[in-house]
Amino acid sequence: MKSSPKLTALVAVAVSLMAVHAAIAQDAPIDSITPVTDEMLLNPPDADWLMWRRTFNGWGYSPLEQINKENVGKLQLAWSWGMSPGRATQETPLVHDGVMFLQNSDHRIQALNAATGELIWEYQYELPDGVTPGGERSKAIYGNNLIVATRDAHIIALDIKTGDLVWDQQVANYKSGFGYSSGPLVANGVVIQGMTNCSNAQPGGCFFTGHDAETGEEIWRVNTIARGDTPEGNSWNGIPLESRHGASAWITGSYDPEQNLIFAGVGQPYPWNVEIAGLTPKSSDPNVTNEALYTNSTLAIDATSGDLKWYHQYLPTDSLDLDYVYERLIIDDMVVTTGKLGIMEAIDRNTGEWLWAKETVPQNVVLSIDPETGAKEINPEVIPVIGETTFNCPADPGSKAWQATSYSPKTGAIYLPTVEFCSNTTVNPLDPGQIYTGGGLQTYSRVARPDGDGNIGQVRAFKVDDQSEMWQYRQYAPVTSSTLPTAGGVVFVGTLDRKLIAFDDETGDVLWTSPTLSNSLESFPISYEADGKQYIAIVAAFGNGLGRLQSLTPDVKLPPNNPVALYVFALPDAE
């Protein structure tokens, strides 16, 4: 049978299109993506962002320098991507071999071409009824898997090339309130994950778990509320274990490969009021204390065995929701963290011994800090009392909240996103005979600092070696993202009033400000390289805790439907 010219032409076109699609598929970055090894995590490629703060030491620093002080003013939008709207998310995109991985607030997980923004694959994790959707702060890549935590207390692994489900491990019962808000860290082949949502009166609080990276099977568990007839277990003022609440592990930790130790933070006790929590009045038993260990502490956990090697508590008997749960920066022989008080503190990475503290934001909670031990003298006038209103600076969500600090080895400086405000605080007591079922049981009526200059948001840079302040930037709208320093000498940060700002890392001079974007920038910016080009990426979203500060700047208007979008910036192509 003889074919017609028309059919021959159609076949030719079809063959040509197939060749084009084959060429495109062959060039797609997902086809050449490589497994992420332990060695790669120890020394990530400069182009990649493989974990929450990019490296095990938690620095949040990019070694890329194509974008620098001289040309950052030319940054322009390269591409953007709309994400699931209407819910809070504090997303940290991950990038490996030119592929970006995103988790949306509705647990829609996506892989994108990091150079163009084109969708490669998508996986929808279905949350059960009754679980409120919300984004996770972080994820992990290990081997051929993307490892993700969920709001219903599961950890799942997806194939990085296809998005297919590899394994699914339920760690706790979501019906009891357990769930995750941050993702895992993979250290020495073990998936380490902190449990969160322990403000729902779960007896005995939260925990860290270690999991087999190949199967998700749980290997070990470390409780964040001390128990047993030990000094630590007897630090809860004699109240029984079933009445000890809180101690959420809601921020991903750091990893010291030399010691095989995870350094991770633990949150505050619940309820916040120490009288209702049973932590006061102090017990007369000489063997009983009321520090409430391990709340507001750094735990040093062996990544392989789960053994707790040591701990350091920064704020015992916390009565104001001023947790020290945040990122841990491993710098030389120190572990440095900054809690809600805005006090930056260093401990010895080998022993947990306290080294130094630096107050960065005005506060009235701590009257003094012992220069030898770090013990804090708390102002009795700020401790909330039933039937009274107390005045404290800061309050929840803190002078330095979940948005992470970062460290640049170029300048030897830590860059802190901070906010200044105060609160008139009242207690919401339980009725006689009422059983505690969850919540903080205190109301914070946030107000501006009475002695302030009206600038709620700041970026501060401090030298680590002597804790001296290098520079400080101040503005009216709160600063709402983590800081991102780069080898190009630029520090990026996002704000409530929808701007991404670039600073000179040595002077604090503003080098570039983005156009006004679609929403507040409450997320973790990253930098990566794809096809030889450096990019800066950040997610615009609202309502992630810091949104509570919008009441201090009511004239900063945000869209009512809370759109969520990823923005990616780059230098223009050379002409």
Side-chain angles (χ1 to χ4, degrees):
M1 179 178 176
K2 189 175 181 181
S3 62
S4 69
K6 183 176 182 181
L7 180 59
T8 302
L10 286 174
V11 171
V13 170
V15 171
S16 177
L17 287 174
M18 288 173 62
V20 171
H21 286 305
I24 292 174
Q26 190 174 10
D27 294 337
I30 201 70
D31 294 332
S32 56
I33 195 168
T34 58
V36 172
T37 63
D38 290 306
E39 292 73 20
M40 195 180 295
L41 292 176
L42 288 169
N43 186 23
D46 290 355
D48 285 0
W49 197 283
L50 296 179
M51 64 186 79
W52 175 49
R53 301 304 290 150
R54 191 180 176 274
T55 47
F56 279 139
N57 53 25
W59 289 0
Y61 168 82
S62 171
L64 298 176
E65 53 186 359
Q66 186 181 99
I67 299 170
N68 55 52
K69 297 180 185 183
E70 286 69 38
N71 61 26
V72 67
K74 298 178 182 179
L75 275 186
Q76 61 186 26
L77 184 66
W79 57 269
S80 60
W81 179 257
M83 298 172 66
S84 303
R87 295 287 183 181
T89 182
Q90 301 165 15
E91 172 67 1
T92 310
L94 297 187
V95 177
H96 176 47
D97 285 346
V99 179
M100 176 181 288
F101 300 95
L102 283 177
Q103 183 177 2
N104 291 252
S105 61
D106 62 354
H107 284 33
R108 187 184 309 272
I109 302 161
Q110 298 165 323
L112 306 175
N113 185 318
T116 65
E118 295 174 347
L119 180 66
I120 299 171
W121 57 252
E122 181 176 283
Y123 173 85
Q124 178 67 63
Y125 180 85
E126 298 293 341
L127 289 168
D129 293 341
V131 175
T132 302
E136 309 292 326
R137 295 178 186 87
S138 55
K139 302 167 290 300
I141 308 175
Y142 187 70
N144 292 308
N145 293 337
L146 178 70
I147 305 174
V148 179
T150 71
R151 289 282 173 169
D152 61 342
H154 285 240
I155 305 174
I156 65 172
L158 304 177
D159 186 292
I160 55 174
K161 285 195 173 185
T162 65
D164 293 337
L165 182 67
V166 178
W167 52 256
D168 182 342
Q169 178 73 30
Q170 182 175 358
V171 183
N173 187 352
Y174 72 87
K175 293 181 179 179
S176 298
F178 290 112
Y180 293 122
S181 61
S182 291
L185 183 75
V186 182
N188 201 15
V190 178
V191 179
I192 290 99
Q193 177 69 54
M195 183 58 69
T196 54
N197 283 8
C198 290
S199 58
N200 293 292
Q202 297 97 327
C206 271
F207 44 85
F208 291 95
T209 51
H211 300 263
D212 186 299
E214 297 299 320
T215 65
E217 180 182 358
E218 185 174 321
I219 302 170
W220 53 257
R221 181 172 294 209
V222 175
N223 293 298
T224 54
I225 285 182
R227 53 201 65 199
D229 187 15
T230 63
E232 294 81 14
N234 292 326
S235 68
W236 281 80
N237 210 36
I239 61 176
L241 181 61
E242 59 267 22
S243 298
R244 304 177 187 183
H245 308 293
S248 283
W250 57 278
I251 293 288
T252 305
S254 300
Y255 175 57
D256 180 350
E258 294 179 15
Q259 302 185 83
N260 194 34
L261 291 180
I262 297 292
F263 300 128
V266 180
Q268 73 282 57
Y270 272 80
W272 299 327
N273 181 264
V274 288
E275 186 177 357
I276 301 175
L279 295 174
T280 58
K282 192 174 181 302
S283 171
S284 59
D285 186 335
N287 296 315
V288 171
T289 62
N290 67 343
E291 285 92 351
L293 290 167
Y294 300 103
T295 63
N296 290 339
S297 298
T298 289
L299 302 188
I301 303 170
D302 186 283
T304 304
S305 67
D307 293 338
L308 178 60
K309 297 299 184 180
W310 52 259
Y311 65 88
H312 176 82
Q313 187 178 44
Y314 303 88
L315 186 64
T317 328
D318 179 12
S319 62
L320 286 165
D321 183 29
L322 294 174
D323 44 336
Y324 272 77
V325 73
Y326 304 120
E327 70 287 342
R328 267 57 183 163
L329 306 178
I330 304 173
I331 305 172
D332 299 326
D333 284 328
M334 300 178 291
V335 177
V336 183
T337 193
T338 309
K340 285 184 179 178
L341 281 165
I343 300 176
M344 184 166 55
E345 301 191 51
I347 57 177
D348 189 290
R349 71 189 283 188
N350 301 296
T351 65
E353 179 185 2
W354 185 85
L355 299 174
W356 52 258
K358 175 68 176 182
E359 292 191 40
T360 67
V361 180
Q363 56 85 28
N364 71 347
V365 176
V366 175
L367 295 178
S368 64
I369 300 175
D370 187 296
E372 298 297 326
T373 66
K376 298 174 178 64
E377 179 188 3
I378 303 300
N379 180 1
E381 295 182 0
V382 307
I383 297 175
V385 177
I386 295 175
E388 300 180 13
T389 297
T390 54
F391 182 75
N392 52 285
C393 311
D396 177 78
S399 290
K400 208 291 288 182
W402 54 261
Q403 73 277 41
T405 59
S406 56
Y407 172 76
S408 170
K410 284 194 67 175
T411 60
I414 289 178
Y415 300 92
L416 293 87
T418 58
V419 287
E420 295 180 9
F421 69 105
C422 301
S423 171
N424 292 300
T425 302
T426 55
V427 181
N428 305 313
L430 297 172
D431 294 330
Q434 183 181 359
I435 298 174
Y436 174 68
T437 58
L441 302 186
Q442 282 175 183
T443 298
Y444 298 106
S445 178
R446 300 170 189 88
V447 295
R449 274 182 52 212
D451 58 344
D453 62 0
N455 289 310
I456 307 298
Q458 308 88 40
V459 180
R460 304 168 192 259
F462 288 89
K463 283 282 193 181
V464 173
D465 57 2
D466 61 3
Q467 299 90 60
S468 61
E469 186 170 58
M470 288 174 59
W471 54 263
Q472 182 181 143
Y473 167 84
R474 304 178 67 84
Q475 69 166 42
Y476 173 60
V479 170
T480 49
S481 86
S482 300
T483 51
L484 168 64
T486 72
V490 183
V491 179
F492 294 90
V493 77
T495 63
L496 182 76
D497 56 347
R498 302 186 285 152
K499 302 287 180 59
L500 181 64
I501 306 174
F503 301 93
D504 184 301
D505 62 356
E506 296 176 302
T507 66
D509 292 340
V510 175
L511 303 176
W512 172 81
T513 301
S514 75
T516 303
L517 303 177
S518 59
N519 209 344
S520 173
L521 299 176
E522 300 184 27
S523 59
F524 299 89
I526 70 165
S527 186
Y528 66 91
E529 185 180 288
D531 292 341
K533 193 177 186 68
Q534 183 183 357
Y535 296 89
I536 307 294
I538 190 167
V539 170
F542 175 65
N544 297 302
L546 287 174
R548 286 169 275 184
L549 299 180
Q550 191 186 26
S551 61
L552 300 176
T553 56
D555 50 326
V556 177
K557 303 299 182 184
L558 298 174
N561 59 341
N562 191 19
V564 181
L566 170 74
Y567 290 94
V568 181
F569 298 91
L571 296 172
D573 293 330
E575 297 180 358

